[in-house]
mmCIF file with all atom_site columns, all heavy atoms in Angstrom:
data_model
loop_
_atom_site.group_PDB
_atom_site.id
_atom_site.type_symbol
_atom_site.label_atom_id
_atom_site.label_alt_id
_atom_site.label_comp_id
_atom_site.label_asym_id
_atom_site.label_entity_id
_atom_site.label_seq_id
_atom_site.pdbx_PDB_ins_code
_atom_site.Cartn_x
_atom_site.Cartn_y
_atom_site.Cartn_z
_atom_site.occupancy
_atom_site.B_iso_or_equiv
_atom_site.pdbx_formal_charge
_atom_site.auth_seq_id
_atom_site.auth_comp_id
_atom_site.auth_asym_id
_atom_site.auth_atom_id
_atom_site.pdbx_PDB_model_num
ATOM 1   N N   . ASP A 1 1  ? 4.589   10.345  2.790   1.00 0.00 ? 1  ASP A N   1
ATOM 2   C CA  . ASP A 1 1  ? 4.999   10.722  4.137   1.00 0.00 ? 1  ASP A CA  1
ATOM 3   C C   . ASP A 1 1  ? 4.010   10.118  5.180   1.00 0.00 ? 1  ASP A C   1
ATOM 4   O O   . ASP A 1 1  ? 4.419   9.579   6.222   1.00 0.00 ? 1  ASP A O   1
ATOM 5   C CB  . ASP A 1 1  ? 5.089   12.216  4.317   1.00 0.00 ? 1  ASP A CB  1
ATOM 6   C CG  . ASP A 1 1  ? 6.191   12.826  3.497   1.00 0.00 ? 1  ASP A CG  1
ATOM 7   O OD1 . ASP A 1 1  ? 7.187   12.133  3.277   1.00 0.00 ? 1  ASP A OD1 1
ATOM 8   O OD2 . ASP A 1 1  ? 6.099   13.996  3.107   1.00 0.00 ? 1  ASP A OD2 1
ATOM 9   N N   . ARG A 1 2  ? 2.700   10.192  4.888   1.00 0.00 ? 2  ARG A N   1
ATOM 10  C CA  . ARG A 1 2  ? 1.704   9.673   5.808   1.00 0.00 ? 2  ARG A CA  1
ATOM 11  C C   . ARG A 1 2  ? 1.841   8.136   5.978   1.00 0.00 ? 2  ARG A C   1
ATOM 12  O O   . ARG A 1 2  ? 1.798   7.619   7.115   1.00 0.00 ? 2  ARG A O   1
ATOM 13  C CB  . ARG A 1 2  ? 0.269   9.978   5.286   1.00 0.00 ? 2  ARG A CB  1
ATOM 14  C CG  . ARG A 1 2  ? -0.829  9.457   6.175   1.00 0.00 ? 2  ARG A CG  1
ATOM 15  C CD  . ARG A 1 2  ? -2.213  9.670   5.637   1.00 0.00 ? 2  ARG A CD  1
ATOM 16  N NE  . ARG A 1 2  ? -2.395  9.141   4.267   1.00 0.00 ? 2  ARG A NE  1
ATOM 17  C CZ  . ARG A 1 2  ? -2.616  7.885   3.935   1.00 0.00 ? 2  ARG A CZ  1
ATOM 18  N NH1 . ARG A 1 2  ? -2.642  6.959   4.857   1.00 0.00 ? 2  ARG A NH1 1
ATOM 19  N NH2 . ARG A 1 2  ? -2.763  7.519   2.665   1.00 0.00 ? 2  ARG A NH2 1
ATOM 20  N N   . MET A 1 3  ? 2.048   7.443   4.901   1.00 0.00 ? 3  MET A N   1
ATOM 21  C CA  . MET A 1 3  ? 2.211   5.968   4.990   1.00 0.00 ? 3  MET A CA  1
ATOM 22  C C   . MET A 1 3  ? 3.492   5.609   5.703   1.00 0.00 ? 3  MET A C   1
ATOM 23  O O   . MET A 1 3  ? 3.509   4.596   6.395   1.00 0.00 ? 3  MET A O   1
ATOM 24  C CB  . MET A 1 3  ? 2.159   5.392   3.565   1.00 0.00 ? 3  MET A CB  1
ATOM 25  C CG  . MET A 1 3  ? 0.751   5.364   3.010   1.00 0.00 ? 3  MET A CG  1
ATOM 26  S SD  . MET A 1 3  ? 0.733   4.570   1.416   1.00 0.00 ? 3  MET A SD  1
ATOM 27  C CE  . MET A 1 3  ? 0.102   5.877   0.395   1.00 0.00 ? 3  MET A CE  1
ATOM 28  N N   . ILE A 1 4  ? 4.511   6.385   5.535   1.00 0.00 ? 4  ILE A N   1
ATOM 29  C CA  . ILE A 1 4  ? 5.819   6.099   6.229   1.00 0.00 ? 4  ILE A CA  1
ATOM 30  C C   . ILE A 1 4  ? 5.564   6.153   7.696   1.00 0.00 ? 4  ILE A C   1
ATOM 31  O O   . ILE A 1 4  ? 6.027   5.310   8.490   1.00 0.00 ? 4  ILE A O   1
ATOM 32  C CB  . ILE A 1 4  ? 6.905   7.080   5.779   1.00 0.00 ? 4  ILE A CB  1
ATOM 33  C CG1 . ILE A 1 4  ? 7.289   6.799   4.306   1.00 0.00 ? 4  ILE A CG1 1
ATOM 34  C CG2 . ILE A 1 4  ? 8.124   6.956   6.678   1.00 0.00 ? 4  ILE A CG2 1
ATOM 35  C CD1 . ILE A 1 4  ? 8.221   7.836   3.724   1.00 0.00 ? 4  ILE A CD1 1
ATOM 36  N N   . ASN A 1 5  ? 4.805   7.191   8.164   1.00 0.00 ? 5  ASN A N   1
ATOM 37  C CA  . ASN A 1 5  ? 4.482   7.335   9.612   1.00 0.00 ? 5  ASN A CA  1
ATOM 38  C C   . ASN A 1 5  ? 3.689   6.135   10.096  1.00 0.00 ? 5  ASN A C   1
ATOM 39  O O   . ASN A 1 5  ? 3.797   5.785   11.266  1.00 0.00 ? 5  ASN A O   1
ATOM 40  C CB  . ASN A 1 5  ? 3.706   8.625   9.853   1.00 0.00 ? 5  ASN A CB  1
ATOM 41  C CG  . ASN A 1 5  ? 4.580   9.846   9.663   1.00 0.00 ? 5  ASN A CG  1
ATOM 42  O OD1 . ASN A 1 5  ? 5.799   9.769   9.769   1.00 0.00 ? 5  ASN A OD1 1
ATOM 43  N ND2 . ASN A 1 5  ? 3.968   10.959  9.370   1.00 0.00 ? 5  ASN A ND2 1
ATOM 44  N N   . ASP A 1 6  ? 2.875   5.529   9.222   1.00 0.00 ? 6  ASP A N   1
ATOM 45  C CA  . ASP A 1 6  ? 2.021   4.375   9.600   1.00 0.00 ? 6  ASP A CA  1
ATOM 46  C C   . ASP A 1 6  ? 2.751   3.036   9.319   1.00 0.00 ? 6  ASP A C   1
ATOM 47  O O   . ASP A 1 6  ? 2.183   1.954   9.563   1.00 0.00 ? 6  ASP A O   1
ATOM 48  C CB  . ASP A 1 6  ? 0.725   4.373   8.822   1.00 0.00 ? 6  ASP A CB  1
ATOM 49  C CG  . ASP A 1 6  ? -0.175  5.562   9.219   1.00 0.00 ? 6  ASP A CG  1
ATOM 50  O OD1 . ASP A 1 6  ? 0.008   6.145   10.298  1.00 0.00 ? 6  ASP A OD1 1
ATOM 51  O OD2 . ASP A 1 6  ? -1.051  5.880   8.399   1.00 0.00 ? 6  ASP A OD2 1
ATOM 52  N N   . ASN A 1 7  ? 3.951   3.105   8.793   1.00 0.00 ? 7  ASN A N   1
ATOM 53  C CA  . ASN A 1 7  ? 4.707   1.930   8.377   1.00 0.00 ? 7  ASN A CA  1
ATOM 54  C C   . ASN A 1 7  ? 3.964   1.016   7.388   1.00 0.00 ? 7  ASN A C   1
ATOM 55  O O   . ASN A 1 7  ? 3.948   -0.161  7.498   1.00 0.00 ? 7  ASN A O   1
ATOM 56  C CB  . ASN A 1 7  ? 5.117   1.065   9.616   1.00 0.00 ? 7  ASN A CB  1
ATOM 57  C CG  . ASN A 1 7  ? 6.165   1.778   10.441  1.00 0.00 ? 7  ASN A CG  1
ATOM 58  O OD1 . ASN A 1 7  ? 7.096   2.386   9.935   1.00 0.00 ? 7  ASN A OD1 1
ATOM 59  N ND2 . ASN A 1 7  ? 5.933   1.766   11.772  1.00 0.00 ? 7  ASN A ND2 1
ATOM 60  N N   . THR A 1 8  ? 3.305   1.692   6.427   1.00 0.00 ? 8  THR A N   1
ATOM 61  C CA  . THR A 1 8  ? 2.569   0.946   5.431   1.00 0.00 ? 8  THR A CA  1
ATOM 62  C C   . THR A 1 8  ? 2.913   1.418   3.973   1.00 0.00 ? 8  THR A C   1
ATOM 63  O O   . THR A 1 8  ? 3.423   2.510   3.831   1.00 0.00 ? 8  THR A O   1
ATOM 64  C CB  . THR A 1 8  ? 1.028   1.112   5.592   1.00 0.00 ? 8  THR A CB  1
ATOM 65  O OG1 . THR A 1 8  ? 0.662   2.500   5.511   1.00 0.00 ? 8  THR A OG1 1
ATOM 66  C CG2 . THR A 1 8  ? 0.541   0.501   6.916   1.00 0.00 ? 8  THR A CG2 1
ATOM 67  N N   . TYR A 1 9  ? 2.568   0.576   3.063   1.00 0.00 ? 9  TYR A N   1
ATOM 68  C CA  . TYR A 1 9  ? 2.708   0.860   1.640   1.00 0.00 ? 9  TYR A CA  1
ATOM 69  C C   . TYR A 1 9  ? 1.379   0.527   0.967   1.00 0.00 ? 9  TYR A C   1
ATOM 70  O O   . TYR A 1 9  ? 0.760   -0.489  1.263   1.00 0.00 ? 9  TYR A O   1
ATOM 71  C CB  . TYR A 1 9  ? 3.810   -0.027  1.036   1.00 0.00 ? 9  TYR A CB  1
ATOM 72  C CG  . TYR A 1 9  ? 5.176   0.187   1.654   1.00 0.00 ? 9  TYR A CG  1
ATOM 73  C CD1 . TYR A 1 9  ? 5.497   -0.422  2.845   1.00 0.00 ? 9  TYR A CD1 1
ATOM 74  C CD2 . TYR A 1 9  ? 6.117   0.978   1.011   1.00 0.00 ? 9  TYR A CD2 1
ATOM 75  C CE1 . TYR A 1 9  ? 6.756   -0.231  3.446   1.00 0.00 ? 9  TYR A CE1 1
ATOM 76  C CE2 . TYR A 1 9  ? 7.341   1.193   1.598   1.00 0.00 ? 9  TYR A CE2 1
ATOM 77  C CZ  . TYR A 1 9  ? 7.649   0.555   2.792   1.00 0.00 ? 9  TYR A CZ  1
ATOM 78  O OH  . TYR A 1 9  ? 8.905   0.766   3.333   1.00 0.00 ? 9  TYR A OH  1
ATOM 79  N N   . GLU A 1 10 ? 0.965   1.392   0.027   1.00 0.00 ? 10 GLU A N   1
ATOM 80  C CA  . GLU A 1 10 ? -0.261  1.081   -0.654  1.00 0.00 ? 10 GLU A CA  1
ATOM 81  C C   . GLU A 1 10 ? 0.077   0.340   -1.960  1.00 0.00 ? 10 GLU A C   1
ATOM 82  O O   . GLU A 1 10 ? 0.985   0.787   -2.723  1.00 0.00 ? 10 GLU A O   1
ATOM 83  C CB  . GLU A 1 10 ? -1.010  2.407   -1.034  1.00 0.00 ? 10 GLU A CB  1
ATOM 84  C CG  . GLU A 1 10 ? -2.278  2.142   -1.809  1.00 0.00 ? 10 GLU A CG  1
ATOM 85  C CD  . GLU A 1 10 ? -2.958  3.365   -2.267  1.00 0.00 ? 10 GLU A CD  1
ATOM 86  O OE1 . GLU A 1 10 ? -2.406  4.027   -3.208  1.00 0.00 ? 10 GLU A OE1 1
ATOM 87  O OE2 . GLU A 1 10 ? -3.987  3.752   -1.709  1.00 0.00 ? 10 GLU A OE2 1
ATOM 88  N N   . ILE A 1 11 ? -0.569  -0.778  -2.186  1.00 0.00 ? 11 ILE A N   1
ATOM 89  C CA  . ILE A 1 11 ? -0.398  -1.505  -3.435  1.00 0.00 ? 11 ILE A CA  1
ATOM 90  C C   . ILE A 1 11 ? -1.775  -1.574  -4.101  1.00 0.00 ? 11 ILE A C   1
ATOM 91  O O   . ILE A 1 11 ? -2.800  -1.865  -3.455  1.00 0.00 ? 11 ILE A O   1
ATOM 92  C CB  . ILE A 1 11 ? 0.195   -2.918  -3.213  1.00 0.00 ? 11 ILE A CB  1
ATOM 93  C CG1 . ILE A 1 11 ? 0.418   -3.576  -4.573  1.00 0.00 ? 11 ILE A CG1 1
ATOM 94  C CG2 . ILE A 1 11 ? -0.645  -3.748  -2.268  1.00 0.00 ? 11 ILE A CG2 1
ATOM 95  C CD1 . ILE A 1 11 ? 1.258   -4.875  -4.515  1.00 0.00 ? 11 ILE A CD1 1
ATOM 96  N N   . VAL A 1 12 ? -1.799  -1.242  -5.390  1.00 0.00 ? 12 VAL A N   1
ATOM 97  C CA  . VAL A 1 12 ? -3.050  -1.248  -6.194  1.00 0.00 ? 12 VAL A CA  1
ATOM 98  C C   . VAL A 1 12 ? -2.809  -2.178  -7.377  1.00 0.00 ? 12 VAL A C   1
ATOM 99  O O   . VAL A 1 12 ? -1.861  -2.018  -8.111  1.00 0.00 ? 12 VAL A O   1
ATOM 100 C CB  . VAL A 1 12 ? -3.421  0.176   -6.673  1.00 0.00 ? 12 VAL A CB  1
ATOM 101 C CG1 . VAL A 1 12 ? -4.671  0.138   -7.509  1.00 0.00 ? 12 VAL A CG1 1
ATOM 102 C CG2 . VAL A 1 12 ? -3.538  1.145   -5.500  1.00 0.00 ? 12 VAL A CG2 1
ATOM 103 N N   . GLU A 1 13 ? -3.764  -3.083  -7.548  1.00 0.00 ? 13 GLU A N   1
ATOM 104 C CA  . GLU A 1 13 ? -3.711  -3.978  -8.717  1.00 0.00 ? 13 GLU A CA  1
ATOM 105 C C   . GLU A 1 13 ? -4.377  -3.237  -9.869  1.00 0.00 ? 13 GLU A C   1
ATOM 106 O O   . GLU A 1 13 ? -5.538  -2.837  -9.774  1.00 0.00 ? 13 GLU A O   1
ATOM 107 C CB  . GLU A 1 13 ? -4.433  -5.268  -8.423  1.00 0.00 ? 13 GLU A CB  1
ATOM 108 C CG  . GLU A 1 13 ? -4.255  -6.328  -9.509  1.00 0.00 ? 13 GLU A CG  1
ATOM 109 C CD  . GLU A 1 13 ? -4.891  -7.622  -9.166  1.00 0.00 ? 13 GLU A CD  1
ATOM 110 O OE1 . GLU A 1 13 ? -5.156  -7.928  -7.995  1.00 0.00 ? 13 GLU A OE1 1
ATOM 111 O OE2 . GLU A 1 13 ? -5.153  -8.412  -10.120 1.00 0.00 ? 13 GLU A OE2 1
ATOM 112 N N   . ARG A 1 14 ? -3.642  -3.045  -10.967 1.00 0.00 ? 14 ARG A N   1
ATOM 113 C CA  . ARG A 1 14 ? -4.129  -2.312  -12.077 1.00 0.00 ? 14 ARG A CA  1
ATOM 114 C C   . ARG A 1 14 ? -5.421  -2.879  -12.708 1.00 0.00 ? 14 ARG A C   1
ATOM 115 O O   . ARG A 1 14 ? -6.343  -2.177  -13.030 1.00 0.00 ? 14 ARG A O   1
ATOM 116 C CB  . ARG A 1 14 ? -3.019  -2.168  -13.154 1.00 0.00 ? 14 ARG A CB  1
ATOM 117 C CG  . ARG A 1 14 ? -3.489  -1.612  -14.501 1.00 0.00 ? 14 ARG A CG  1
ATOM 118 C CD  . ARG A 1 14 ? -4.012  -0.204  -14.357 1.00 0.00 ? 14 ARG A CD  1
ATOM 119 N NE  . ARG A 1 14 ? -4.425  0.359   -15.614 1.00 0.00 ? 14 ARG A NE  1
ATOM 120 C CZ  . ARG A 1 14 ? -5.668  0.270   -16.118 1.00 0.00 ? 14 ARG A CZ  1
ATOM 121 N NH1 . ARG A 1 14 ? -6.599  -0.410  -15.479 1.00 0.00 ? 14 ARG A NH1 1
ATOM 122 N NH2 . ARG A 1 14 ? -5.941  0.825   -17.284 1.00 0.00 ? 14 ARG A NH2 1
ATOM 123 N N   . LYS A 1 15 ? -5.416  -4.176  -12.844 1.00 0.00 ? 15 LYS A N   1
ATOM 124 C CA  . LYS A 1 15 ? -6.562  -4.852  -13.524 1.00 0.00 ? 15 LYS A CA  1
ATOM 125 C C   . LYS A 1 15 ? -7.862  -4.678  -12.778 1.00 0.00 ? 15 LYS A C   1
ATOM 126 O O   . LYS A 1 15 ? -8.910  -4.452  -13.353 1.00 0.00 ? 15 LYS A O   1
ATOM 127 C CB  . LYS A 1 15 ? -6.254  -6.323  -13.705 1.00 0.00 ? 15 LYS A CB  1
ATOM 128 C CG  . LYS A 1 15 ? -7.221  -7.058  -14.580 1.00 0.00 ? 15 LYS A CG  1
ATOM 129 C CD  . LYS A 1 15 ? -6.854  -8.481  -14.967 1.00 0.00 ? 15 LYS A CD  1
ATOM 130 C CE  . LYS A 1 15 ? -5.823  -9.160  -14.134 1.00 0.00 ? 15 LYS A CE  1
ATOM 131 N NZ  . LYS A 1 15 ? -5.608  -10.564 -14.464 1.00 0.00 ? 15 LYS A NZ  1
ATOM 132 N N   . THR A 1 16 ? -7.829  -4.800  -11.445 1.00 0.00 ? 16 THR A N   1
ATOM 133 C CA  . THR A 1 16 ? -9.055  -4.758  -10.646 1.00 0.00 ? 16 THR A CA  1
ATOM 134 C C   . THR A 1 16 ? -9.256  -3.474  -9.884  1.00 0.00 ? 16 THR A C   1
ATOM 135 O O   . THR A 1 16 ? -10.371 -3.199  -9.440  1.00 0.00 ? 16 THR A O   1
ATOM 136 C CB  . THR A 1 16 ? -9.047  -5.949  -9.607  1.00 0.00 ? 16 THR A CB  1
ATOM 137 O OG1 . THR A 1 16 ? -7.976  -5.710  -8.702  1.00 0.00 ? 16 THR A OG1 1
ATOM 138 C CG2 . THR A 1 16 ? -8.904  -7.268  -10.304 1.00 0.00 ? 16 THR A CG2 1
ATOM 139 N N   . GLY A 1 17 ? -8.180  -2.707  -9.675  1.00 0.00 ? 17 GLY A N   1
ATOM 140 C CA  . GLY A 1 17 ? -8.281  -1.520  -8.872  1.00 0.00 ? 17 GLY A CA  1
ATOM 141 C C   . GLY A 1 17 ? -8.247  -1.778  -7.379  1.00 0.00 ? 17 GLY A C   1
ATOM 142 O O   . GLY A 1 17 ? -8.341  -0.851  -6.564  1.00 0.00 ? 17 GLY A O   1
ATOM 143 N N   . GLN A 1 18 ? -8.069  -3.036  -6.983  1.00 0.00 ? 18 GLN A N   1
ATOM 144 C CA  . GLN A 1 18 ? -8.092  -3.397  -5.565  1.00 0.00 ? 18 GLN A CA  1
ATOM 145 C C   . GLN A 1 18 ? -6.875  -2.761  -4.830  1.00 0.00 ? 18 GLN A C   1
ATOM 146 O O   . GLN A 1 18 ? -5.705  -2.917  -5.353  1.00 0.00 ? 18 GLN A O   1
ATOM 147 C CB  . GLN A 1 18 ? -8.040  -4.936  -5.416  1.00 0.00 ? 18 GLN A CB  1
ATOM 148 C CG  . GLN A 1 18 ? -8.051  -5.382  -3.960  1.00 0.00 ? 18 GLN A CG  1
ATOM 149 C CD  . GLN A 1 18 ? -8.044  -6.880  -3.861  1.00 0.00 ? 18 GLN A CD  1
ATOM 150 O OE1 . GLN A 1 18 ? -8.097  -7.628  -4.834  1.00 0.00 ? 18 GLN A OE1 1
ATOM 151 N NE2 . GLN A 1 18 ? -7.941  -7.345  -2.613  1.00 0.00 ? 18 GLN A NE2 1
ATOM 152 N N   . LYS A 1 19 ? -7.171  -2.114  -3.707  1.00 0.00 ? 19 LYS A N   1
ATOM 153 C CA  . LYS A 1 19 ? -6.121  -1.437  -2.942  1.00 0.00 ? 19 LYS A CA  1
ATOM 154 C C   . LYS A 1 19 ? -5.902  -2.135  -1.640  1.00 0.00 ? 19 LYS A C   1
ATOM 155 O O   . LYS A 1 19 ? -6.892  -2.561  -1.006  1.00 0.00 ? 19 LYS A O   1
ATOM 156 C CB  . LYS A 1 19 ? -6.500  0.021   -2.657  1.00 0.00 ? 19 LYS A CB  1
ATOM 157 C CG  . LYS A 1 19 ? -6.615  0.891   -3.858  1.00 0.00 ? 19 LYS A CG  1
ATOM 158 C CD  . LYS A 1 19 ? -7.029  2.272   -3.466  1.00 0.00 ? 19 LYS A CD  1
ATOM 159 C CE  . LYS A 1 19 ? -7.235  3.156   -4.719  1.00 0.00 ? 19 LYS A CE  1
ATOM 160 N NZ  . LYS A 1 19 ? -7.574  4.519   -4.379  1.00 0.00 ? 19 LYS A NZ  1
ATOM 161 N N   . ASN A 1 20 ? -4.703  -2.234  -1.210  1.00 0.00 ? 20 ASN A N   1
ATOM 162 C CA  . ASN A 1 20 ? -4.343  -2.785  0.073   1.00 0.00 ? 20 ASN A CA  1
ATOM 163 C C   . ASN A 1 20 ? -3.213  -1.972  0.706   1.00 0.00 ? 20 ASN A C   1
ATOM 164 O O   . ASN A 1 20 ? -2.336  -1.491  0.034   1.00 0.00 ? 20 ASN A O   1
ATOM 165 C CB  . ASN A 1 20 ? -3.899  -4.244  -0.027  1.00 0.00 ? 20 ASN A CB  1
ATOM 166 C CG  . ASN A 1 20 ? -5.011  -5.188  -0.327  1.00 0.00 ? 20 ASN A CG  1
ATOM 167 O OD1 . ASN A 1 20 ? -6.007  -5.251  0.366   1.00 0.00 ? 20 ASN A OD1 1
ATOM 168 N ND2 . ASN A 1 20 ? -4.888  -5.865  -1.479  1.00 0.00 ? 20 ASN A ND2 1
ATOM 169 N N   . LEU A 1 21 ? -3.276  -1.822  2.042   1.00 0.00 ? 21 LEU A N   1
ATOM 170 C CA  . LEU A 1 21 ? -2.190  -1.224  2.767   1.00 0.00 ? 21 LEU A CA  1
ATOM 171 C C   . LEU A 1 21 ? -1.454  -2.362  3.471   1.00 0.00 ? 21 LEU A C   1
ATOM 172 O O   . LEU A 1 21 ? -2.050  -3.138  4.204   1.00 0.00 ? 21 LEU A O   1
ATOM 173 C CB  . LEU A 1 21 ? -2.689  -0.247  3.845   1.00 0.00 ? 21 LEU A CB  1
ATOM 174 C CG  . LEU A 1 21 ? -3.307  1.055   3.285   1.00 0.00 ? 21 LEU A CG  1
ATOM 175 C CD1 . LEU A 1 21 ? -3.843  1.906   4.409   1.00 0.00 ? 21 LEU A CD1 1
ATOM 176 C CD2 . LEU A 1 21 ? -2.249  1.854   2.512   1.00 0.00 ? 21 LEU A CD2 1
ATOM 177 N N   . LEU A 1 22 ? -0.160  -2.468  3.156   1.00 0.00 ? 22 LEU A N   1
ATOM 178 C CA  . LEU A 1 22 ? 0.685   -3.569  3.691   1.00 0.00 ? 22 LEU A CA  1
ATOM 179 C C   . LEU A 1 22 ? 1.902   -3.048  4.384   1.00 0.00 ? 22 LEU A C   1
ATOM 180 O O   . LEU A 1 22 ? 2.406   -1.971  4.017   1.00 0.00 ? 22 LEU A O   1
ATOM 181 C CB  . LEU A 1 22 ? 1.059   -4.496  2.498   1.00 0.00 ? 22 LEU A CB  1
ATOM 182 C CG  . LEU A 1 22 ? 0.001   -5.079  1.634   1.00 0.00 ? 22 LEU A CG  1
ATOM 183 C CD1 . LEU A 1 22 ? 0.582   -5.866  0.484   1.00 0.00 ? 22 LEU A CD1 1
ATOM 184 C CD2 . LEU A 1 22 ? -0.911  -5.959  2.440   1.00 0.00 ? 22 LEU A CD2 1
ATOM 185 N N   . THR A 1 23 ? 2.403   -3.822  5.284   1.00 0.00 ? 23 THR A N   1
ATOM 186 C CA  . THR A 1 23 ? 3.729   -3.540  5.813   1.00 0.00 ? 23 THR A CA  1
ATOM 187 C C   . THR A 1 23 ? 4.776   -3.849  4.773   1.00 0.00 ? 23 THR A C   1
ATOM 188 O O   . THR A 1 23 ? 4.478   -4.505  3.772   1.00 0.00 ? 23 THR A O   1
ATOM 189 C CB  . THR A 1 23 ? 4.001   -4.385  7.075   1.00 0.00 ? 23 THR A CB  1
ATOM 190 O OG1 . THR A 1 23 ? 4.122   -5.754  6.640   1.00 0.00 ? 23 THR A OG1 1
ATOM 191 C CG2 . THR A 1 23 ? 2.964   -4.234  8.115   1.00 0.00 ? 23 THR A CG2 1
ATOM 192 N N   . ARG A 1 24 ? 5.976   -3.407  5.002   1.00 0.00 ? 24 ARG A N   1
ATOM 193 C CA  . ARG A 1 24 ? 7.069   -3.690  4.013   1.00 0.00 ? 24 ARG A CA  1
ATOM 194 C C   . ARG A 1 24 ? 7.231   -5.160  3.799   1.00 0.00 ? 24 ARG A C   1
ATOM 195 O O   . ARG A 1 24 ? 7.359   -5.620  2.674   1.00 0.00 ? 24 ARG A O   1
ATOM 196 C CB  . ARG A 1 24 ? 8.376   -3.028  4.498   1.00 0.00 ? 24 ARG A CB  1
ATOM 197 C CG  . ARG A 1 24 ? 9.463   -3.101  3.452   1.00 0.00 ? 24 ARG A CG  1
ATOM 198 C CD  . ARG A 1 24 ? 10.737  -2.447  3.972   1.00 0.00 ? 24 ARG A CD  1
ATOM 199 N NE  . ARG A 1 24 ? 11.732  -2.338  2.952   1.00 0.00 ? 24 ARG A NE  1
ATOM 200 C CZ  . ARG A 1 24 ? 12.057  -1.219  2.322   1.00 0.00 ? 24 ARG A CZ  1
ATOM 201 N NH1 . ARG A 1 24 ? 11.420  -0.095  2.556   1.00 0.00 ? 24 ARG A NH1 1
ATOM 202 N NH2 . ARG A 1 24 ? 12.987  -1.255  1.412   1.00 0.00 ? 24 ARG A NH2 1
ATOM 203 N N   . GLN A 1 25 ? 7.246   -5.939  4.888   1.00 0.00 ? 25 GLN A N   1
ATOM 204 C CA  . GLN A 1 25 ? 7.444   -7.390  4.742   1.00 0.00 ? 25 GLN A CA  1
ATOM 205 C C   . GLN A 1 25 ? 6.279   -8.062  4.011   1.00 0.00 ? 25 GLN A C   1
ATOM 206 O O   . GLN A 1 25 ? 6.482   -8.900  3.137   1.00 0.00 ? 25 GLN A O   1
ATOM 207 C CB  . GLN A 1 25 ? 7.687   -8.060  6.107   1.00 0.00 ? 25 GLN A CB  1
ATOM 208 C CG  . GLN A 1 25 ? 8.166   -9.482  5.982   1.00 0.00 ? 25 GLN A CG  1
ATOM 209 C CD  . GLN A 1 25 ? 9.445   -9.630  5.168   1.00 0.00 ? 25 GLN A CD  1
ATOM 210 O OE1 . GLN A 1 25 ? 10.444  -8.920  5.434   1.00 0.00 ? 25 GLN A OE1 1
ATOM 211 N NE2 . GLN A 1 25 ? 9.420   -10.438 4.112   1.00 0.00 ? 25 GLN A NE2 1
#
């Protein structure tokens, strides 16, 4: 719900654990 309000999606790479917040596009 919080990310929807910010128009972001969290993507995490399993191998490295690197997290990024990205727009849908």
